[in-house]
Amino acid sequence: MWLSMIQLWHYLFIGTLNSLLTPLAKGDRALVSIYTNAFAITQFFGVLCAPWNGLLMDQLKQRYQKKGSKTGFSASAVALCSTVPSLALTSLLCLGFALCASVPVLLHQYVTYILQVISRSFLYGGNAAFLTLVFPPEHFGKIFGLVMALSAIVSLLQFPIFTFIKGPLQNDPFYVNVMLALITLLTFIHPFLVYRECQGKEGPLAIAYFGSPPF
């Protein structure tokens, strides 16, 4: 659910970008072209953003492995807890991206582009890292394939939504963007459930983890 909803929102934003920019630019095709090119350029910087999430998870995992070795906490509990900030941050980035896309101000879309690139970079790397840390390595291929297949099925919803935007909404995705921004709040369920699982496994470690800064 976490991956599917965030991925669907990314696909919809890319598919409806021109419809979003046209009314904001008041039909100025040259201005729409400038903002479309700016979006294409920002996609390149996703390569630079991709390692940030991994660095965050590695730092947290190493720190709490040291703490766990002194207190006797299991490595699996430490690995599970290290994924919570990454999952929550990815959901938060997606929510910020969705809210920015819902603001009907053309200049504000540059901020939307930046958050979209960072959010997308965190999404796929964080998903793979979570599966690697939480599930047995011999099942990684099966679980990763299943997750991607389910998210692909959910992404098919973009086509009826496109039709809805082109038809009743008269090519204006504003209300769909607002609705999806609210739906994005549901993605915080995943990091919350992982956090509760951490508390169930190693309560003191989870308390120490969330009660101190990561670096």
Side-chain angles (χ1 to χ4, degrees):
M1 184 190 71
W2 178 80
L3 175 67
S4 298
M5 291 198 300
I6 297 178
Q7 180 176 265
L8 176 63
W9 173 221
H10 279 279
Y11 286 171
L12 279 171
F13 177 76
I14 295 171
T16 60
L17 180 61
N18 189 69
S19 300
L20 173 68
L21 295 175
T22 300
L24 296 181
K26 298 180 180 179
D28 188 336
R29 293 187 177 181
L31 194 55
V32 171
S33 179
I34 291 173
Y35 275 82
T36 304
N37 291 338
F39 175 74
I41 292 171
T42 57
Q43 298 305 297
F44 168 77
F45 292 96
V47 177
L48 304 178
C49 300
W52 297 353
N53 194 20
L55 289 173
L56 173 64
M57 295 181 71
D58 286 345
Q59 289 287 337
L60 292 172
K61 186 179 178 182
Q62 290 174 8
R63 176 177 179 179
Y64 289 99
Q65 275 180 338
K66 293 178 181 178
K67 186 176 293 186
S69 63
K70 295 178 181 179
T71 55
F73 295 119
S74 65
S76 61
V78 171
L80 185 64
C81 289
S82 69
T83 65
V84 176
S86 170
L87 299 174
L89 182 58
T90 303
S91 295
L92 186 62
L93 285 169
C94 184
L95 179 61
F97 153 53
L99 292 175
C100 287
S102 303
V103 176
V105 177
L106 187 60
L107 192 62
H108 204 264
Q109 299 314 306
Y110 286 121
V111 180
T112 305
Y113 296 166
I114 295 171
L115 290 175
Q116 189 270 339
V117 169
I118 299 174
S119 172
R120 192 173 185 181
S121 299
F122 273 51
L123 174 63
Y124 295 107
N127 173 60
F130 174 78
L131 297 178
T132 301
L133 292 172
V134 175
F135 296 99
E138 61 269 21
H139 298 303
F140 174 79
K142 296 187 285 291
I143 296 174
F144 184 78
L146 177 63
V147 167
M148 296 306 295
L150 291 174
S151 65
I153 292 172
V154 173
S155 69
L156 294 176
L157 291 174
Q158 64 184 297
F159 298 108
I161 296 176
F162 285 150
T163 304
F164 182 67
I165 293 173
K166 295 290 184 181
L169 295 182
Q170 298 179 349
N171 215 31
D172 183 3
F174 173 74
Y175 294 106
V176 171
N177 289 346
V178 172
M179 179 189 68
L180 289 174
L182 295 175
I183 293 176
T184 302
L185 292 172
L186 296 176
T187 62
F188 286 94
I189 294 174
H190 181 40
F192 175 72
L193 291 177
V194 176
Y195 168 64
R196 288 193 60 184
E197 183 69 17
C198 286
Q199 286 189 317
K201 281 179 174 290
E202 309 287 1
L205 179 61
I207 293 171
Y209 172 77
F210 287 98
S212 57
F215 299 104

